[in-house]
Amino acid sequence: MSQSLQIPPKRTVRGPGGQTLAQRILRLTDRSSECWLWLSRKNPKGYGQMTVDGHPRSAHRVSYEAFVGPIPDGLEIDHLCRVRHCVNPSHLEPVTRSENIRRAIAATGMVAGKRVGGLQFGETCGAGHVIDADNSYVKRGIICCLTCRRESNRRSMSGGRERQRSYTDHSKVAAAARAQAGEWVTVTVYRSANSAYQTTSQIRTAKKLPFYRPAGSFEAQHRKVDGGFEVFARFVGTAEGGAR
């Protein structure tokens, strides 16, 4: 992109001094190279920060919104140039969180500034859990299984005592439901209706529960039983794993 060319701003929100967001960004950047380098304050990870309507915002997200348009819900902004304090809209692309992490690892071998090793996306941990963006975290530079950590935390919190409700291994539930396609299988029992409702919603949408992907491949419902609310799920996807 020619640095003499100023992209017509999409937003006309005005800040201090009556400047638009686009004008503020142009004033606070060094555009002597292809990257528009942010000259104002940055967060500890090196991303530019600015205040919009009294709230702190990431400068690169504001730049994309000002020069290109709204960022679709649920997407993150990936720096194609890999320069964190660059706010050049032509270097920014909305992507999913998993794609953003995949690109970071492919380009630099790092996530959030930490070099990664150990498990990789698509592999399974020792307990059989699939590692992806929703089921992973980085510890001391190593990608680890989030499901295993949560189960370990639950065991630690119980102090070795028998827990009133056992941990639900959703990977096994999803596998059982796929093997019995079209039939309802029991997922778990909750004491509260709210917990049961949240789990049924997460199964249908596959949010936070990647074992039920793709979204729409499973139906879920809950009903009141003695001692709580029982959650059921059934696989309604195609043989290839997609939803009908």
Side-chain angles (χ1 to χ4, degrees):
M1 177 187 296
S2 171
Q3 300 308 305
S4 63
L5 176 62
Q6 294 185 3
I7 306 172
K10 296 286 186 178
R11 297 184 65 186
T12 57
V13 176
R14 297 185 181 275
Q19 291 183 322
T20 64
L21 289 175
Q23 289 171 334
R24 289 177 62 192
I25 290 169
L26 294 173
R27 177 174 60 85
L28 294 170
T29 53
D30 174 3
R31 301 188 305 284
S32 60
S33 64
E34 285 298 316
C35 288
W36 294 10
L37 303 179
W38 189 248
L39 299 176
S40 188
R41 72 182 187 276
K42 304 177 184 66
N43 68 16
K45 294 182 179 180
Y47 293 100
Q49 296 284 287
M50 64 187 301
T51 300
V52 179
D53 298 331
H55 300 284
R57 295 285 309 281
S58 296
H60 62 280
R61 291 180 65 88
V62 176
S63 180
Y64 186 91
E65 294 171 347
F67 289 104
V68 181
I71 300 171
D73 290 342
L75 297 188
E76 301 178 351
I77 293 295
D78 177 40
H79 283 80
L80 301 177
C81 58
R82 316 318 305 173
V83 178
R84 295 186 177 188
H85 63 297
C86 173
V87 297
N88 185 340
S90 68
H91 291 188
L92 308 174
E93 180 184 6
V95 296
T96 62
R97 179 173 180 267
S98 59
E99 176 62 14
N100 199 3
I101 294 176
R102 187 194 68 77
R103 290 182 181 182
I105 295 175
T108 65
M110 304 179 77
V111 174
K114 298 180 179 179
R115 186 153 301 279
V116 299
L119 295 169
Q120 300 297 324
F121 285 5
E123 297 180 348
T124 58
C125 70
H129 306 131
V130 177
I131 303 301
D132 59 17
D134 294 316
N135 186 42
S136 61
Y137 69 101
V138 177
K139 181 179 181 181
R140 298 176 182 174
I142 303 296
I143 296 179
C144 304
C145 176
L146 183 59
T147 299
C148 286
R149 186 184 74 172
R150 287 172 173 167
E151 186 169 10
S152 176
N153 289 344
R154 290 188 178 96
R155 287 196 298 267
S156 297
M157 292 175 65
S158 70
R161 298 185 298 273
E162 185 69 24
R163 291 175 294 157
Q164 293 180 328
R165 180 176 66 84
S166 61
Y167 168 70
T168 301
D169 190 333
H170 287 281
S171 63
K172 292 183 179 179
V173 173
R178 290 179 186 276
Q180 306 173 55
E183 298 183 15
W184 291 101
V185 299
T186 298
V187 178
T188 189
V189 177
Y190 291 102
R191 288 187 175 183
S192 72
N194 184 57
S195 295
Y197 172 79
Q198 289 181 357
T199 298
T200 56
S201 177
Q202 290 170 357
I203 291 174
R204 296 189 192 109
T205 62
K207 290 183 177 179
K208 298 184 179 181
L209 294 176
F211 311 108
Y212 300 99
R213 288 178 178 170
S217 295
F218 289 82
E219 292 180 347
Q221 65 180 24
H222 65 275
R223 69 182 182 186
K224 185 173 177 58
V225 296
D226 290 340
F229 298 84
E230 189 169 8
V231 176
F232 300 88
R234 69 176 175 182
F235 178 67
V236 294
T238 64
E240 291 75 22
R244 289 176 180 172

PDB file of all heavy atoms in Angstrom, residues 11-43:
ATOM      1  N   ARG A  11     -15.376   5.181   9.848  1.00  0.00           N
ATOM      2  CA  ARG A  11     -16.025   5.742  11.032  1.00  0.00           C
ATOM      3  C   ARG A  11     -15.705   7.218  11.145  1.00  0.00           C
ATOM      4  O   ARG A  11     -14.630   7.667  10.791  1.00  0.00           O
ATOM      5  CB  ARG A  11     -15.552   5.020  12.297  1.00  0.00           C
ATOM      6  CG  ARG A  11     -15.918   3.548  12.333  1.00  0.00           C
ATOM      7  CD  ARG A  11     -15.512   2.951  13.650  1.00  0.00           C
ATOM      8  NE  ARG A  11     -16.269   3.539  14.754  1.00  0.00           N
ATOM      9  CZ  ARG A  11     -16.032   3.286  16.029  1.00  0.00           C
ATOM     10  NH1 ARG A  11     -15.059   2.491  16.369  1.00  0.00           N
ATOM     11  NH2 ARG A  11     -16.749   3.862  16.967  1.00  0.00           N
ATOM     12  N   THR A  12     -16.659   7.969  11.661  1.00  0.00           N
ATOM     13  CA  THR A  12     -16.452   9.407  11.836  1.00  0.00           C
ATOM     14  C   THR A  12     -16.560   9.808  13.295  1.00  0.00           C
ATOM     15  O   THR A  12     -16.788  10.970  13.605  1.00  0.00           O
ATOM     16  CB  THR A  12     -17.485  10.203  11.006  1.00  0.00           C
ATOM     17  OG1 THR A  12     -18.799   9.809  11.405  1.00  0.00           O
ATOM     18  CG2 THR A  12     -17.302   9.939   9.516  1.00  0.00           C
ATOM     19  N   VAL A  13     -16.423   8.829  14.201  1.00  0.00           N
ATOM     20  CA  VAL A  13     -16.443   9.148  15.624  1.00  0.00           C
ATOM     21  C   VAL A  13     -15.297  10.097  15.930  1.00  0.00           C
ATOM     22  O   VAL A  13     -14.165   9.877  15.515  1.00  0.00           O
ATOM     23  CB  VAL A  13     -16.308   7.870  16.471  1.00  0.00           C
ATOM     24  CG1 VAL A  13     -16.230   8.219  17.945  1.00  0.00           C
ATOM     25  CG2 VAL A  13     -17.473   6.936  16.194  1.00  0.00           C
ATOM     26  N   ARG A  14     -15.582  11.166  16.645  1.00  0.00           N
ATOM     27  CA  ARG A  14     -14.565  12.165  16.923  1.00  0.00           C
ATOM     28  C   ARG A  14     -14.130  12.100  18.379  1.00  0.00           C
ATOM     29  O   ARG A  14     -14.915  11.837  19.268  1.00  0.00           O
ATOM     30  CB  ARG A  14     -15.072  13.573  16.578  1.00  0.00           C
ATOM     31  CG  ARG A  14     -15.377  13.708  15.099  1.00  0.00           C
ATOM     32  CD  ARG A  14     -15.764  15.139  14.715  1.00  0.00           C
ATOM     33  NE  ARG A  14     -16.067  15.201  13.291  1.00  0.00           N
ATOM     34  CZ  ARG A  14     -15.153  15.374  12.346  1.00  0.00           C
ATOM     35  NH1 ARG A  14     -13.895  15.514  12.697  1.00  0.00           N
ATOM     36  NH2 ARG A  14     -15.479  15.406  11.075  1.00  0.00           N
ATOM     37  N   GLY A  15     -12.847  12.312  18.594  1.00  0.00           N
ATOM     38  CA  GLY A  15     -12.280  12.270  19.920  1.00  0.00           C
ATOM     39  C   GLY A  15     -11.790  13.637  20.331  1.00  0.00           C
ATOM     40  O   GLY A  15     -12.309  14.667  19.875  1.00  0.00           O
ATOM     41  N   PRO A  16     -10.726  13.691  21.165  1.00  0.00           N
ATOM     42  CA  PRO A  16     -10.185  14.962  21.626  1.00  0.00           C
ATOM     43  C   PRO A  16      -9.783  15.855  20.456  1.00  0.00           C
ATOM     44  O   PRO A  16      -9.170  15.406  19.492  1.00  0.00           O
ATOM     45  CB  PRO A  16      -8.949  14.523  22.434  1.00  0.00           C
ATOM     46  CG  PRO A  16      -9.266  13.125  22.868  1.00  0.00           C
ATOM     47  CD  PRO A  16     -10.028  12.529  21.732  1.00  0.00           C
ATOM     48  N   GLY A  17     -10.183  17.117  20.518  1.00  0.00           N
ATOM     49  CA  GLY A  17      -9.838  18.066  19.469  1.00  0.00           C
ATOM     50  C   GLY A  17     -10.693  17.922  18.232  1.00  0.00           C
ATOM     51  O   GLY A  17     -10.399  18.554  17.199  1.00  0.00           O
ATOM     52  N   GLY A  18     -11.738  17.102  18.276  1.00  0.00           N
ATOM     53  CA  GLY A  18     -12.616  16.940  17.128  1.00  0.00           C
ATOM     54  C   GLY A  18     -12.068  16.040  16.048  1.00  0.00           C
ATOM     55  O   GLY A  18     -12.612  15.991  14.943  1.00  0.00           O
ATOM     56  N   GLN A  19     -10.997  15.303  16.344  1.00  0.00           N
ATOM     57  CA  GLN A  19     -10.405  14.426  15.338  1.00  0.00           C
ATOM     58  C   GLN A  19     -11.199  13.131  15.210  1.00  0.00           C
ATOM     59  O   GLN A  19     -11.729  12.608  16.189  1.00  0.00           O
ATOM     60  CB  GLN A  19      -8.968  14.079  15.714  1.00  0.00           C
ATOM     61  CG  GLN A  19      -7.985  15.222  15.623  1.00  0.00           C
ATOM     62  CD  GLN A  19      -6.578  14.751  15.936  1.00  0.00           C
ATOM     63  OE1 GLN A  19      -6.372  13.915  16.812  1.00  0.00           O
ATOM     64  NE2 GLN A  19      -5.608  15.290  15.221  1.00  0.00           N
ATOM     65  N   THR A  20     -11.274  12.593  13.982  1.00  0.00           N
ATOM     66  CA  THR A  20     -11.868  11.284  13.788  1.00  0.00           C
ATOM     67  C   THR A  20     -10.878  10.231  14.268  1.00  0.00           C
ATOM     68  O   THR A  20      -9.688  10.511  14.461  1.00  0.00           O
ATOM     69  CB  THR A  20     -12.191  11.027  12.309  1.00  0.00           C
ATOM     70  OG1 THR A  20     -10.962  11.012  11.571  1.00  0.00           O
ATOM     71  CG2 THR A  20     -13.098  12.114  11.752  1.00  0.00           C
ATOM     72  N   LEU A  21     -11.352   8.996  14.447  1.00  0.00           N
ATOM     73  CA  LEU A  21     -10.464   7.918  14.848  1.00  0.00           C
ATOM     74  C   LEU A  21      -9.356   7.724  13.819  1.00  0.00           C
ATOM     75  O   LEU A  21      -8.198   7.495  14.173  1.00  0.00           O
ATOM     76  CB  LEU A  21     -11.254   6.617  15.015  1.00  0.00           C
ATOM     77  CG  LEU A  21     -12.193   6.545  16.225  1.00  0.00           C
ATOM     78  CD1 LEU A  21     -12.988   5.249  16.189  1.00  0.00           C
ATOM     79  CD2 LEU A  21     -11.407   6.645  17.525  1.00  0.00           C
ATOM     80  N   ALA A  22      -9.693   7.825  12.543  1.00  0.00           N
ATOM     81  CA  ALA A  22      -8.688   7.656  11.495  1.00  0.00           C
ATOM     82  C   ALA A  22      -7.618   8.743  11.592  1.00  0.00           C
ATOM     83  O   ALA A  22      -6.423   8.467  11.441  1.00  0.00           O
ATOM     84  CB  ALA A  22      -9.351   7.691  10.120  1.00  0.00           C
ATOM     85  N   GLN A  23      -8.032   9.980  11.850  1.00  0.00           N
ATOM     86  CA  GLN A  23      -7.070  11.075  11.968  1.00  0.00           C
ATOM     87  C   GLN A  23      -6.158  10.882  13.176  1.00  0.00           C
ATOM     88  O   GLN A  23      -4.956  11.162  13.117  1.00  0.00           O
ATOM     89  CB  GLN A  23      -7.814  12.409  12.059  1.00  0.00           C
ATOM     90  CG  GLN A  23      -8.469  12.814  10.757  1.00  0.00           C
ATOM     91  CD  GLN A  23      -9.377  14.021  10.911  1.00  0.00           C
ATOM     92  OE1 GLN A  23      -9.907  14.281  11.998  1.00  0.00           O
ATOM     93  NE2 GLN A  23      -9.564  14.769   9.824  1.00  0.00           N
ATOM     94  N   ARG A  24      -6.720  10.385  14.285  1.00  0.00           N
ATOM     95  CA  ARG A  24      -5.904  10.129  15.475  1.00  0.00           C
ATOM     96  C   ARG A  24      -4.872   9.054  15.190  1.00  0.00           C
ATOM     97  O   ARG A  24      -3.712   9.162  15.592  1.00  0.00           O
ATOM     98  CB  ARG A  24      -6.796   9.709  16.646  1.00  0.00           C
ATOM     99  CG  ARG A  24      -7.658  10.813  17.231  1.00  0.00           C
ATOM    100  CD  ARG A  24      -8.555  10.263  18.325  1.00  0.00           C
ATOM    101  NE  ARG A  24      -7.790   9.712  19.444  1.00  0.00           N
ATOM    102  CZ  ARG A  24      -8.314   8.970  20.407  1.00  0.00           C
ATOM    103  NH1 ARG A  24      -9.620   8.667  20.383  1.00  0.00           N
ATOM    104  NH2 ARG A  24      -7.570   8.513  21.386  1.00  0.00           N
ATOM    105  N   ILE A  25      -5.290   8.001  14.494  1.00  0.00           N
ATOM    106  CA  ILE A  25      -4.366   6.913  14.181  1.00  0.00           C
ATOM    107  C   ILE A  25      -3.244   7.404  13.283  1.00  0.00           C
ATOM    108  O   ILE A  25      -2.066   7.100  13.506  1.00  0.00           O
ATOM    109  CB  ILE A  25      -5.129   5.746  13.527  1.00  0.00           C
ATOM    110  CG1 ILE A  25      -6.032   5.071  14.577  1.00  0.00           C
ATOM    111  CG2 ILE A  25      -4.169   4.718  12.925  1.00  0.00           C
ATOM    112  CD1 ILE A  25      -7.018   4.103  14.003  1.00  0.00           C
ATOM    113  N   LEU A  26      -3.582   8.189  12.264  1.00  0.00           N
ATOM    114  CA  LEU A  26      -2.559   8.711  11.356  1.00  0.00           C
ATOM    115  C   LEU A  26      -1.580   9.618  12.098  1.00  0.00           C
ATOM    116  O   LEU A  26      -0.378   9.627  11.812  1.00  0.00           O
ATOM    117  CB  LEU A  26      -3.218   9.462  10.200  1.00  0.00           C
ATOM    118  CG  LEU A  26      -4.061   8.604   9.255  1.00  0.00           C
ATOM    119  CD1 LEU A  26      -4.790   9.484   8.249  1.00  0.00           C
ATOM    120  CD2 LEU A  26      -3.192   7.582   8.528  1.00  0.00           C
ATOM    121  N   ARG A  27      -2.086  10.370  13.067  1.00  0.00           N
ATOM    122  CA  ARG A  27      -1.222  11.284  13.816  1.00  0.00           C
ATOM    123  C   ARG A  27      -0.287  10.542  14.754  1.00  0.00           C
ATOM    124  O   ARG A  27       0.828  11.001  15.027  1.00  0.00           O
ATOM    125  CB  ARG A  27      -2.100  12.260  14.620  1.00  0.00           C
ATOM    126  CG  ARG A  27      -1.306  13.230  15.498  1.00  0.00           C
ATOM    127  CD  ARG A  27      -2.239  14.260  16.137  1.00  0.00           C
ATOM    128  NE  ARG A  27      -3.255  13.650  16.966  1.00  0.00           N
ATOM    129  CZ  ARG A  27      -3.077  13.315  18.244  1.00  0.00           C
ATOM    130  NH1 ARG A  27      -1.907  13.511  18.830  1.00  0.00           N
ATOM    131  NH2 ARG A  27      -4.065  12.782  18.941  1.00  0.00           N
ATOM    132  N   LEU A  28      -0.697   9.361  15.234  1.00  0.00           N
ATOM    133  CA  LEU A  28       0.067   8.638  16.248  1.00  0.00           C
ATOM    134  C   LEU A  28       0.857   7.472  15.672  1.00  0.00           C
ATOM    135  O   LEU A  28       1.249   6.562  16.405  1.00  0.00           O
ATOM    136  CB  LEU A  28      -0.878   8.126  17.346  1.00  0.00           C
ATOM    137  CG  LEU A  28      -1.552   9.208  18.192  1.00  0.00           C
ATOM    138  CD1 LEU A  28      -2.640   8.601  19.072  1.00  0.00           C
ATOM    139  CD2 LEU A  28      -0.524   9.940  19.043  1.00  0.00           C
ATOM    140  N   THR A  29       1.108   7.472  14.361  1.00  0.00           N
ATOM    141  CA  THR A  29       1.846   6.370  13.749  1.00  0.00           C
ATOM    142  C   THR A  29       3.020   6.878  12.915  1.00  0.00           C
ATOM    143  O   THR A  29       2.997   7.980  12.373  1.00  0.00           O
ATOM    144  CB  THR A  29       0.936   5.514  12.839  1.00  0.00           C
ATOM    145  OG1 THR A  29       0.273   6.372  11.899  1.00  0.00           O
ATOM    146  CG2 THR A  29      -0.088   4.762  13.650  1.00  0.00           C
ATOM    147  N   ASP A  30       4.020   6.036  12.828  1.00  0.00           N
ATOM    148  CA  ASP A  30       5.161   6.265  11.943  1.00  0.00           C
ATOM    149  C   ASP A  30       4.914   5.434  10.694  1.00  0.00           C
ATOM    150  O   ASP A  30       4.978   4.206  10.725  1.00  0.00           O
ATOM    151  CB  ASP A  30       6.456   5.832  12.640  1.00  0.00           C
ATOM    152  CG  ASP A  30       7.678   5.905  11.715  1.00  0.00           C
ATOM    153  OD1 ASP A  30       7.515   6.339  10.551  1.00  0.00           O
ATOM    154  OD2 ASP A  30       8.774   5.525  12.149  1.00  0.00           O
ATOM    155  N   ARG A  31       4.642   6.112   9.558  1.00  0.00           N
ATOM    156  CA  ARG A  31       4.290   5.416   8.323  1.00  0.00           C
ATOM    157  C   ARG A  31       5.405   5.518   7.289  1.00  0.00           C
ATOM    158  O   ARG A  31       5.157   5.526   6.082  1.00  0.00           O
ATOM    159  CB  ARG A  31       2.974   5.988   7.772  1.00  0.00           C
ATOM    160  CG  ARG A  31       1.815   5.855   8.757  1.00  0.00           C
ATOM    161  CD  ARG A  31       0.483   6.246   8.162  1.00  0.00           C
ATOM    162  NE  ARG A  31       0.496   7.597   7.599  1.00  0.00           N
ATOM    163  CZ  ARG A  31       0.455   8.712   8.323  1.00  0.00           C
ATOM    164  NH1 ARG A  31       0.401   8.640   9.641  1.00  0.00           N
ATOM    165  NH2 ARG A  31       0.465   9.896   7.734  1.00  0.00           N
ATOM    166  N   SER A  32       6.638   5.605   7.777  1.00  0.00           N
ATOM    167  CA  SER A  32       7.779   5.708   6.870  1.00  0.00           C
ATOM    168  C   SER A  32       8.118   4.369   6.212  1.00  0.00           C
ATOM    169  O   SER A  32       8.917   4.324   5.276  1.00  0.00           O
ATOM    170  CB  SER A  32       9.008   6.238   7.620  1.00  0.00           C
ATOM    171  OG  SER A  32       9.356   5.373   8.693  1.00  0.00           O
ATOM    172  N   SER A  33       7.535   3.283   6.688  1.00  0.00           N
ATOM    173  CA  SER A  33       7.739   1.963   6.098  1.00  0.00           C
ATOM    174  C   SER A  33       6.377   1.355   5.806  1.00  0.00           C
ATOM    175  O   SER A  33       5.350   2.005   5.981  1.00  0.00           O
ATOM    176  CB  SER A  33       8.532   1.064   7.049  1.00  0.00           C
ATOM    177  OG  SER A  33       7.797   0.832   8.240  1.00  0.00           O
ATOM    178  N   GLU A  34       6.371   0.106   5.325  1.00  0.00           N
ATOM    179  CA  GLU A  34       5.096  -0.544   5.017  1.00  0.00           C
ATOM    180  C   GLU A  34       4.220  -0.662   6.266  1.00  0.00           C
ATOM    181  O   GLU A  34       3.009  -0.532   6.201  1.00  0.00           O
ATOM    182  CB  GLU A  34       5.348  -1.937   4.421  1.00  0.00           C
ATOM    183  CG  GLU A  34       5.818  -1.919   2.984  1.00  0.00           C
ATOM    184  CD  GLU A  34       4.790  -1.296   2.049  1.00  0.00           C
ATOM    185  OE1 GLU A  34       3.596  -1.612   2.169  1.00  0.00           O
ATOM    186  OE2 GLU A  34       5.190  -0.482   1.202  1.00  0.00           O
ATOM    187  N   CYS A  35       4.836  -0.940   7.422  1.00  0.00           N
ATOM    188  CA  CYS A  35       4.085  -1.013   8.674  1.00  0.00           C
ATOM    189  C   CYS A  35       3.783   0.390   9.195  1.00  0.00           C
ATOM    190  O   CYS A  35       4.622   1.288   9.080  1.00  0.00           O
ATOM    191  CB  CYS A  35       4.873  -1.797   9.727  1.00  0.00           C
ATOM    192  SG  CYS A  35       4.962  -3.577   9.426  1.00  0.00           S
ATOM    193  N   TRP A  36       2.590   0.554   9.761  1.00  0.00           N
ATOM    194  CA  TRP A  36       2.257   1.788  10.457  1.00  0.00           C
ATOM    195  C   TRP A  36       2.566   1.527  11.930  1.00  0.00           C
ATOM    196  O   TRP A  36       1.785   0.888  12.624  1.00  0.00           O
ATOM    197  CB  TRP A  36       0.785   2.125  10.288  1.00  0.00           C
ATOM    198  CG  TRP A  36       0.373   2.458   8.887  1.00  0.00           C
ATOM    199  CD1 TRP A  36       1.092   2.315   7.743  1.00  0.00           C
ATOM    200  CD2 TRP A  36      -0.899   2.990   8.493  1.00  0.00           C
ATOM    201  NE1 TRP A  36       0.368   2.711   6.655  1.00  0.00           N
ATOM    202  CE2 TRP A  36      -0.853   3.129   7.082  1.00  0.00           C
ATOM    203  CE3 TRP A  36      -2.048   3.350   9.175  1.00  0.00           C
ATOM    204  CZ2 TRP A  36      -1.935   3.632   6.350  1.00  0.00           C
ATOM    205  CZ3 TRP A  36      -3.127   3.837   8.458  1.00  0.00           C
ATOM    206  CH2 TRP A  36      -3.069   3.988   7.062  1.00  0.00           C
ATOM    207  N   LEU A  37       3.690   2.004  12.397  1.00  0.00           N
ATOM    208  CA  LEU A  37       4.152   1.694  13.744  1.00  0.00           C
ATOM    209  C   LEU A  37       3.534   2.649  14.763  1.00  0.00           C
ATOM    210  O   LEU A  37       3.637   3.874  14.632  1.00  0.00           O
ATOM    211  CB  LEU A  37       5.679   1.763  13.799  1.00  0.00           C
ATOM    212  CG  LEU A  37       6.397   0.835  12.815  1.00  0.00           C
ATOM    213  CD1 LEU A  37       7.904   0.997  12.946  1.00  0.00           C
ATOM    214  CD2 LEU A  37       5.986  -0.618  13.028  1.00  0.00           C
ATOM    215  N   TRP A  38       2.917   2.081  15.789  1.00  0.00           N
ATOM    216  CA  TRP A  38       2.219   2.855  16.813  1.00  0.00           C
ATOM    217  C   TRP A  38       3.225   3.554  17.718  1.00  0.00           C
ATOM    218  O   TRP A  38       4.124   2.933  18.270  1.00  0.00           O
ATOM    219  CB  TRP A  38       1.330   1.928  17.639  1.00  0.00           C
ATOM    220  CG  TRP A  38       0.407   2.632  18.592  1.00  0.00           C
ATOM    221  CD1 TRP A  38       0.467   2.624  19.946  1.00  0.00           C
ATOM    222  CD2 TRP A  38      -0.723   3.431  18.239  1.00  0.00           C
ATOM    223  NE1 TRP A  38      -0.550   3.371  20.471  1.00  0.00           N
ATOM    224  CE2 TRP A  38      -1.301   3.889  19.449  1.00  0.00           C
ATOM    225  CE3 TRP A  38      -1.302   3.813  17.040  1.00  0.00           C
ATOM    226  CZ2 TRP A  38      -2.433   4.695  19.481  1.00  0.00           C
ATOM    227  CZ3 TRP A  38      -2.429   4.626  17.066  1.00  0.00           C
ATOM    228  CH2 TRP A  38      -2.980   5.056  18.275  1.00  0.00           C
ATOM    229  N   LEU A  39       3.070   4.876  17.867  1.00  0.00           N
ATOM    230  CA  LEU A  39       4.032   5.677  18.623  1.00  0.00           C
ATOM    231  C   LEU A  39       3.579   5.973  20.047  1.00  0.00           C
ATOM    232  O   LEU A  39       4.365   6.440  20.860  1.00  0.00           O
ATOM    233  CB  LEU A  39       4.297   7.000  17.891  1.00  0.00           C
ATOM    234  CG  LEU A  39       4.882   6.879  16.480  1.00  0.00           C
ATOM    235  CD1 LEU A  39       4.993   8.259  15.847  1.00  0.00           C
ATOM    236  CD2 LEU A  39       6.233   6.174  16.509  1.00  0.00           C
ATOM    237  N   SER A  40       2.316   5.731  20.333  1.00  0.00           N
ATOM    238  CA  SER A  40       1.789   6.036  21.660  1.00  0.00           C
ATOM    239  C   SER A  40       1.971   4.821  22.572  1.00  0.00           C
ATOM    240  O   SER A  40       2.798   3.955  22.303  1.00  0.00           O
ATOM    241  CB  SER A  40       0.323   6.447  21.557  1.00  0.00           C
ATOM    242  OG  SER A  40      -0.173   6.919  22.793  1.00  0.00           O
ATOM    243  N   ARG A  41       1.197   4.747  23.645  1.00  0.00           N
ATOM    244  CA  ARG A  41       1.422   3.720  24.659  1.00  0.00           C
ATOM    245  C   ARG A  41       1.125   2.323  24.125  1.00  0.00           C
ATOM    246  O   ARG A  41       0.321   2.136  23.221  1.00  0.00           O
ATOM    247  CB  ARG A  41       0.573   4.007  25.899  1.00  0.00           C
ATOM    248  CG  ARG A  41      -0.915   3.782  25.746  1.00  0.00           C
ATOM    249  CD  ARG A  41      -1.649   4.144  27.045  1.00  0.00           C
ATOM    250  NE  ARG A  41      -3.054   3.799  26.992  1.00  0.00           N
ATOM    251  CZ  ARG A  41      -3.994   4.572  26.455  1.00  0.00           C
ATOM    252  NH1 ARG A  41      -3.665   5.744  25.920  1.00  0.00           N
ATOM    253  NH2 ARG A  41      -5.262   4.186  26.450  1.00  0.00           N
ATOM    254  N   LYS A  42       1.795   1.335  24.739  1.00  0.00           N
ATOM    255  CA  LYS A  42       1.631  -0.071  24.362  1.00  0.00           C
ATOM    256  C   LYS A  42       1.410  -0.894  25.628  1.00  0.00           C
ATOM    257  O   LYS A  42       1.834  -0.508  26.717  1.00  0.00           O
ATOM    258  CB  LYS A  42       2.872  -0.593  23.624  1.00  0.00           C
ATOM    259  CG  LYS A  42       3.254   0.208  22.387  1.00  0.00           C
ATOM    260  CD  LYS A  42       4.527  -0.335  21.777  1.00  0.00           C
ATOM    261  CE  LYS A  42       4.982   0.496  20.591  1.00  0.00           C
ATOM    262  NZ  LYS A  42       5.396   1.868  20.985  1.00  0.00           N
ATOM    263  N   ASN A  43       0.757  -2.035  25.482  1.00  0.00           N
ATOM    264  CA  ASN A  43       0.566  -2.921  26.628  1.00  0.00           C
ATOM    265  C   ASN A  43       1.811  -3.787  26.813  1.00  0.00           C
ATOM    266  O   ASN A  43       2.727  -3.765  25.989  1.00  0.00           O
ATOM    267  CB  ASN A  43      -0.708  -3.763  26.467  1.00  0.00           C
ATOM    268  CG  ASN A  43      -0.604  -4.784  25.337  1.00  0.00           C
ATOM    269  OD1 ASN A  43       0.474  -5.097  24.837  1.00  0.00           O
ATOM    270  ND2 ASN A  43      -1.745  -5.321  24.937  1.00  0.00           N
TER     271      ASN A  43
END
